């Protein structure tokens, strides 16, 4: 049931040194609780690891200490190339990650070995064995790996995987971390590792559902495919590997989102939460993990964000302002581990205490969000215990639990004042309602009307009355009973 | 404008050592911010001050350190009598505060002197000069002062005030801290201090508006007078002292509430917030301070509370669950310092930034809250700047922002589970809504519909648009512009 | 190896509501880390549990929540008697714990059942099964159990144990929690439970080593037995039960200390740490746990303490000032789990990382501490790895790490100023020294001189040199190399 | 008396976003308490402010919010040049600060205006008037200002100062922030501003005392001038401006240290604290502020530090490990505001409470620290009140309070383990000793022996004895008195 919380994405590792990043991660862990976190740039110059004749972990230790303190573990992605080890000058992103192969594979292997060994020394072998290690990022794209050279990637993978297994055979290594659009890469990669007997413990790929980008300053508009296309992508590796020796390996979707652009305002909307709801609710049918890219807007691939809301990937924008998609995850985190029922507009669960929870979402028009239905009603009958239940409902939609809407109403202040930030935080909280409901024949029956783009959580708990016999509300103001 | 936040009441001082108390006070200070705090029992045995041959401040220092750390200062009430200094055995409350005169007025004076001197040594003279010092509590009631002996009180006051002035002439001392129902006591007291030239820097009394108590186990039902009766009581000292040498002295209402019982469920309701709204909004017309009795439900006069909601005085019940009356105060704390308009259902203010705020409340039926109007609408025209404004509205009523209602729906769990406490905290937050509104001729015009027992805050700020020219929401999902 | 940290004692449970108490416990847990905590008074009136017709857990939940949050679990002691359930008026302590049998054993059983059931509901059955439950405290003393009536205690034990086992058969129950001086009580009790088949999961008793009390105001002087007498007491239950069906049951020393008086200044001294060092280091040979009575000076059996240092039992006095005995425990908490060597003046350990630690202590004169040796030297040869080791030494003695000495030099301020408290906190930290030492034949050899009443910790770790080849300290100020 | 705490230096502003930086600053503020903080790079690309067509304050707000929260205010240094506004490609430092003039002075003026206006909007005019604003950094050096072009700097200064005064005439602006070695620059600059009537509110320069650098990997060795040369530099501006219209302007030494290299291990030593002690103690005679460059080792001018101790400027290295020079400042922060006496090896002060403090330091050999005296004794007679005093002494020297020495003994671990960091934190605390001393004729007389490179603080407070008459230590173990 919990593939959805197995991993989350993040901007480059250096950003993890920052307080706003760590405060956002603390909030995410408190209200959602992911198990692993994956981002680029462990070997980027800003981390200061590869400093011949030294290898130094000043900042890596600060990052990993913070992660563990917050109850989240690294999903290591080895890359990009340190300048002093790079064979070329090509970089990606505003922060200039070098994407060329190492000028010495031996020196690369030593860097990998030193890093993994240091992590084991500091955090213990048992701990590090629980951290998947992925080799590079999207080598199928020429902007992420010089010339998208498959042979060079295979060599890098082989050298890296072998080095890791030399350190400890039970460490988990995998790849190829490809982006959508080059699905055949996985098959080629599989053939390579099978034929050469190269170690592999999991396979990984990414999933996105957006079309071509139309750019405006600091922003992008894109079309979207239907959300089901994400699930198709989640499921592809198992299909591709069926019947091969790699069948049965864990499949990790190490990045997914609607748009792959960190400046597409769709990420900030309630539409986005409703659009992704079935993906997050049911993605576990297709893959062992699928990491939302990314947990917060402290992210600089296109430069420092220029406004509080800027279409970043984050579940949170700066200053811990929650977006609707944050609540989608936070709602799931409050659900039970036992599925009760599911449909294309909801998922119901229960747990060992008899508590019943329902996540429901409105259908969306992925072509034009303005045409999404204004209203959608779900009728549910749920098995519960006791004569009555208490219902707490939490909702976000285009208006409620929606700081982005409030921010637009405020005039889109680029750098909001403290008072405005406080108001936005309040507007970002879900609307709550509550009621006591009767139970008939062991069932509670509900009509759940949903507003446009609403995502809602119903929490239903048995009422155990402790009302004392002398309690009489009619006497509250002294009326004689 | 800020008499309403000048002071707040609290249970006996010993309780201030507790964490739940301090966490509640921290929340109150963060969201409201009172200037002083007043409670009974500085000299009760549990504080361990009077320990002949020692005077010891182990706990007093812990309490006052905590107060100052939280940005609140003591409003000292000197009482009750330490057992070893008492002339009799009569006590009040479950916690047995001794209410008899000292067996030695000299020893009492030494205790007062040692305590005030210690506070000056520890916190500085300038600081302590800012703490009003009140002599005893409700000496007009025989349960609080043996036989309600006015002569004995006058003696106690004289000895105490003289001792304090010997320590430092600028310390502020006052009394007589009488309860309602013995209004003539103030006149007698005034004659006494005037005729004897006894030092006095302020006068104090209490105000309550409830009728006789009908008891049930752990609970009380009472009738209420109209809220205006509280304002009458606030205003009485100025009337009584007019024309006397004491005219012009600060008047402190050192306790007020509807019911004087710590087990009347009326304190937990939205009715209560709406009932007190005009008192808190306009009380400053009548007195220099009026201290809501009390800030939290960590309060033990009738014993340890037996359920989460138990009709306690607190703005918060245990575990920092907010009651509607908390929000009344928190709303006021967000208002401006310049009155714009007022009526019997609202108060509007602005401040130096041009921000406009409105506190509005529904009318109540104080005889039978079930008969309070279901709906009440206020029409407002408010002067604002700019072409448009952003409106944030926060509301509590019988359903919204109302943990007490949710708790009753849950079955009134005496000791709620952690998960229930979390749900109650969510249910206790005000409902928020927001909008952008047009401005016509420098005015924004609003119809504000209020639900039964609603108290609402409108915060209106000018919109300064920073929407860039290239922003086009219609393109969010890729429509060509 | 860790019987010493299995449990620690505390003042009555109501005090656990306080912030100073919780801050002290947080410090103790951070630097020592006990597993369980045991104190009196769960059923005392101040906890507000027995409130017929209600049972209420308002405060118990606050206490246990705080304990678990701080990583410590209750060792439940069921007592004393709620006033409304008591058969008589006899009380013990300043805070008046009622020590009479229940007027209804059935009502007592219902109270026990309701309390244990509530704890299971709130914290889970697995959790509560890990909390030992002890019946009453020192029933062999007439001040703690009316008439020290053994038959009545047996009945109380039987009713209680049966009730607990009815709730869940795997809950752990035990007794008789006797004080020293009535050793035969354990045998009688054992005969009773064996002959009747009464459930019992552990046996418990207390250990103290002080002689008769000479009282002065707020203080007591006493003689002490040699510390070995404490170990004798620890070991007695196993001897007494050998050969009986109870042989093999866990033995818990649920209280121990030198003096049983909370106003004996011996508790504040470095003598005390050195005196107890062999007891704490070696007590695990004799019992499954032995709980130092108590972790902090927030303790009121003889009333509110009247001065910062007042001879309280605590490892810490108020405001988290550490006493030497705190450091004895904190030093042990830094030791390894594998014993290397031991003698009557030290214990050496190592762990899986090769780190070696030595706890050493000076011999004491328990008759007249002024006659304890001024100097004592220990010579150690310890197996270590590598060519060199780093040694960190931490020491407390009559001067160093000794806030009590500093406080006396300050003039024994009853209620120190904030600045004085800061200075005392600094004086309370152990003196540290460090060095790099050579290793010969796999051994490091040390002469460890100890000052009077010194307790010291040596931490020895292998030096793994990362000094780069270009490092040359002689050039620090630019001299040519 | 407090010019020494008026300002402290810091690495580039972007680093202020990091948690380790903020935790270090929090510690510095808690134990020292500087009033202002100054560093480079407000307009560097990493801060993301100049983003045409936008000006954005996402990160600047995060930094300044954090500063104010920690009780420290910006001393703004306007620079370096945003890439998009730069006229050339020349950069300085690993982090590539652009040091060329603006390609449009008008666009620069708009950037300055927008930034200052935003700060006033967010923090209030009164607040920002208290922040000195300095134009650029060390324009006299070609690596910091293209060609060290004085004319171009004068133009930049004029445009900037005029723009600032247009925003508000009471904002404080100054320059020229020159490094040592170009003292004539100040005179030329002064002539310029005087002759043109350019606004100026303060003058600024830097002071360093090191000779040429000898480089090793990640390190530098340098000779030092005597510390008095720093005071000469502090005093030069007043001399240079005497008799001009600028005489009497505040003089701010906006950077000072021994070595100007961030990789000179001298910064980590006790020598350094003793060397700088007279500079920090007496610098206020010569300038209105002198900012130690820098408060912590989160500083990347030469790249990410490769080892915990790396010769950084910081008072703290990473992870809040204190260096001896930190203690020099922390000791000063505990001193009084009234000088009692001074000499070339100490400064004595008192305050309104009668507390006497002495900062004393050992003389150093600035040519070869190995030749600094092994021992130096100071004899002091100090006026105190009362019959006895309590003395608390805190010391750091080559061994005590010296984490750097301990780190070298550990083998210089590049990335210490958590356990090693804990040990280093302990080794970094000053050694404490305490005593009660007699007073003769209103004087306490002390011989203060100092170890090599020792810096020590003596805190002397009157003893007010509260020893009760019944206290008898000889009875502690029960001996009859």
């Amino acid at each position: 049931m919990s593939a959805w919380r197995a991993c989350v994405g993040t901007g480059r590792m250096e950003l993890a040194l920052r307080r706003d990043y760590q405060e956002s991660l603390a909030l995410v862990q408190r209200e959602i609780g992911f198990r692993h976190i994956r981002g680029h740039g462990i070997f980027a110059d800003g981390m200061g690891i590869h400093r011949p004749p030294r290898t130094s972990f000043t900042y890596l230790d600060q990052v990993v200490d913070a992660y563990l303190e917050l109850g989240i573990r690294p999903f290591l992605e080895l890359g990009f190339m340190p300048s002093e080890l790079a064979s070329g000058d090509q970089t990606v992103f505003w922060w200039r990650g070098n994407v060329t192969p190492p000028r010495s594979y031996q020196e690369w292997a030593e860097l990998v070995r030193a890093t993994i060994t240091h992590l084991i020394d500091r955090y213990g072998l048992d701990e590090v064995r629980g951290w998947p290690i992925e080799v590079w990022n999207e080598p199928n794209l020429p902007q992420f790996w010089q010339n998208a050279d498959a042979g060079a990637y295979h060599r890098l993978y082989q050298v890296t995987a072998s080095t890791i297994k030399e350190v400890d055979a039970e460490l988990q290594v995998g790849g190829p971390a490809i982006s959508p659009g080059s699905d055949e890469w996985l098959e080629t990669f599989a053939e390579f590792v099978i034929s050469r007997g190269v170690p592999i413990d999991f396979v990984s790929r990414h999933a996105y559902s957006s079309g071509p980008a139309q750019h405006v300053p600091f922003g992008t508009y894109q079309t979207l495919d239907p959300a089901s296309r994400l699930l198709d992508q989640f499921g592809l590796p198992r299909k591709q590997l069926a019947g091969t020796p790699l069948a049965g390996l864990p499949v990790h979707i190490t990045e997914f989102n609607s748009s792959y652009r960190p400046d597409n305002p769709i990420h900030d909307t309630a539409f986005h939460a409703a659009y992704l709801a079935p993906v997050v609710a049911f993605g576990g049918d297709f893959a062992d993990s699928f990491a939302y890219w990314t947990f917060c807007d402290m992210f600089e691939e296109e430069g420092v964000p220029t406004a509080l809301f800027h279409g970043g990937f984050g579940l949170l924008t700066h200053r811990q302002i929650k977006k609707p998609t944050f609540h989608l995850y936070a709602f799931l985190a409050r659900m039970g581990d036992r599925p009760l029922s599911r449909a294309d507009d909801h998922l119901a669960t229960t747990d060992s205490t008899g508590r019943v929870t329902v996540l429901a979402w409105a259908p969306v028009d992925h072509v034009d969000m303005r045409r999404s239905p204004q209203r959608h009603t779900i009728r549910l009958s749920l098995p519960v215990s006791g004569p009555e239940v208490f219902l707490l409902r939490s909702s976000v939609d285009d208006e409620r639990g929606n700081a982005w809407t409030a921010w637009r109403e405020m005039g889109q202040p680029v750098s909001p004042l403290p008072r405005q930030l406080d108001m936005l935080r309040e507007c970002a909280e879900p609307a709550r309602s509550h009621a006591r409901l009767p139970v008939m024949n062991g069932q509670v029956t509900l009509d759940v009307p949903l507003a446009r783009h609403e995502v809602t959580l119903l929490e239903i708990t048995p009422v155990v009355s402790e009302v004392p016999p002398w309690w009489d509300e009619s006497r509250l103001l002294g009326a004689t009973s």
Side-chain angles (χ1 to χ4, degrees), chain A:
Chain A
M1 279 287 300
S2 68
W4 67 269
R5 79 191 330 164
C7 193
V8 74
T10 171
R12 74 179 192 282
M13 191 173 269
E14 183 192 328
L15 299 178
L17 298 169
R18 294 190 181 164
R19 174 180 165 185
D20 188 72
Y21 177 108
Q22 291 193 24
E23 290 187 349
S24 288
L25 187 55
L27 175 58
V28 160
Q29 288 304 93
R30 202 159 57 237
E31 300 199 14
I32 302 174
F34 291 102
R35 286 200 299 279
H36 287 93
I37 186 165
R38 172 193 171 275
H40 311 319
I42 188 174
F43 290 143
D45 292 358
M47 289 296 290
I49 293 179
H50 186 67
R51 304 294 299 279
R54 267 191 175 148
T55 313
S56 171
F57 302 102
T58 304
Y59 287 173
L60 182 60
D61 289 356
Q62 288 189 22
V63 170
V64 179
D65 285 4
Y67 281 165
L68 298 183
E69 200 179 279
L70 294 171
I72 199 164
R73 291 163 165 177
F75 190 118
L76 294 170
E77 173 206 316
L78 301 182
F80 298 124
M81 198 56 61
S83 298
E84 300 209 31
L85 184 48
S87 59
D89 290 335
Q90 187 189 335
T91 65
V92 67
F93 302 141
W94 174 78
W95 53 271
R96 289 181 282 215
N98 186 294
V99 295
T100 67
R103 54 171 168 61
S104 157
Y105 279 87
Q106 185 184 331
E107 198 173 331
W108 167 264
E110 287 315 309
L111 171 62
V112 169
R113 184 190 315 277
T115 302
I116 302 300
T117 301
H118 172 76
L119 291 170
I120 291 169
D121 287 348
R122 187 173 184 90
Y123 302 105
L125 184 55
D126 284 352
E127 176 65 37
V128 179
R129 281 175 176 167
W131 305 354
I133 308 173
E134 191 182 40
V135 179
W136 213 257
N137 178 68
E138 302 192 350
N140 61 302
L141 295 178
Q143 60 267 46
F144 282 107
W145 180 240
Q146 201 178 42
N147 305 319
D149 179 339
Y153 178 72
H154 293 169
R155 184 173 176 198
L156 185 81
Y157 181 83
Q158 181 168 25
V159 167
T160 308
S162 304
T163 301
I164 288 166
K165 293 294 187 177
E166 283 167 27
V167 175
D168 180 73
E170 293 187 40
L171 294 168
Q172 307 168 52
V173 65
I178 53 170
S179 73
S182 307
D183 299 336
E184 70 290 354
W185 256 70
L186 179 60
E187 289 163 10
T188 314
F189 173 74
E191 284 163 24
F192 169 75
V193 296
I194 293 165
S195 65
R196 303 288 182 92
V198 179
I200 185 160
D201 299 294
F202 64 85
V203 294
S204 64
R205 65 161 288 158
H206 300 167
Y208 289 97
S209 58
S210 53
Q214 303 176 40
H215 295 287
V216 293
F218 312 119
T220 302
Y221 301 117
Q222 290 170 288
T223 57
L224 291 186
D225 290 332
S228 60
R229 293 290 295 276
L230 287 166
L231 295 174
D232 295 343
Q233 295 177 55
F234 289 9
L236 194 55
R238 286 192 189 159
K239 285 191 189 154
Q240 290 176 300
L241 300 177
T244 77
L246 305 193
L249 280 191
V251 171
H252 295 305
I253 307 303
T254 50
E255 293 181 16
F256 90 95
N257 207 315
S258 56
S259 160
Y260 55 81
R261 289 285 313 179
D263 54 2
N264 185 334
I266 204 73
H267 295 123
D268 301 332
T269 65
F271 163 87
H272 200 249
Y275 171 84
L276 287 185
V279 177
V280 181
F282 304 134
D285 297 347
F286 303 94
D288 296 276
S289 76
F290 43 101
Y292 185 77
W293 186 254
T294 61
F295 83 88
C296 83
D297 274 358
M298 183 60 82
F299 187 89
E300 298 180 347
E301 293 189 355
E302 297 292 320
V304 178
T306 60
L308 180 68
F309 282 102
H310 54 269
F313 294 118
L315 298 172
L316 302 172
T317 185
H318 296 108
R319 304 298 185 110
Q320 295 75 58
I321 310 282
K322 298 170 183 174
K323 301 184 191 176
T325 307
F326 174 92
H327 293 299
L328 169 64
Y329 273 92
F331 290 168
L332 265 163
R334 292 164 77 147
M335 297 189 73
D337 53 353
R338 304 179 188 173
L340 273 183
S341 70
R342 50 192 274 185
D344 58 7
D345 55 8
H346 76 275
L347 170 67
T349 67
T350 187
D351 65 19
S352 62
T353 70
R355 185 169 162 270
V356 169
T357 46
V358 182
L359 180 77
W361 52 91
V364 302
D365 185 315
H366 70 276
V367 177
D368 185 345
M369 57 185 266
R370 293 168 297 181
R371 294 196 307 241
S372 297
Q374 288 292 340
R375 201 121 191 116
H376 174 81
T377 299
I378 301 173
R379 163 157 284 229
L380 295 166
S381 274
L382 297 158
V384 293
S385 61
E388 290 181 304
V389 290
F390 174 72
L391 167 68
L392 174 63
R393 179 171 177 183
S394 306
S395 290
V396 300
D397 60 28
D398 282 351
E399 297 296 326
R400 298 177 298 161
N402 197 319
W404 184 68
T405 296
W407 177 75
R408 285 181 302 143
E409 290 167 352
M410 280 179 182
Q412 306 190 190
V414 165
S415 304
L417 297 173
R419 188 179 68 213
Q420 291 176 312
L421 289 171
D422 287 344
M423 291 195 290
L424 290 171
R425 272 189 206 97
E426 290 176 351
C427 295
E429 287 304 308
R432 316 280 183 188
S433 61
H434 45 86
R436 195 195 295 203
L437 301 175
V439 175
M440 304 283 282
N441 303 319
Q443 299 267 326
V444 65
T445 300
L446 295 166
D447 282 312
V448 184
L450 299 173
R452 195 168 73 162
H453 299 149
E454 180 168 348
V455 176
T456 196
L457 178 72
L458 310 178
E459 302 178 81
I460 299 165
T461 45
V463 167
V464 181
S465 178
E466 301 186 34
V467 183
W470 60 81
W471 179 260
D472 180 357
E473 281 185 34
S474 70
R475 293 175 65 195
L476 263 181
L477 273 183
T480 52
S481 59

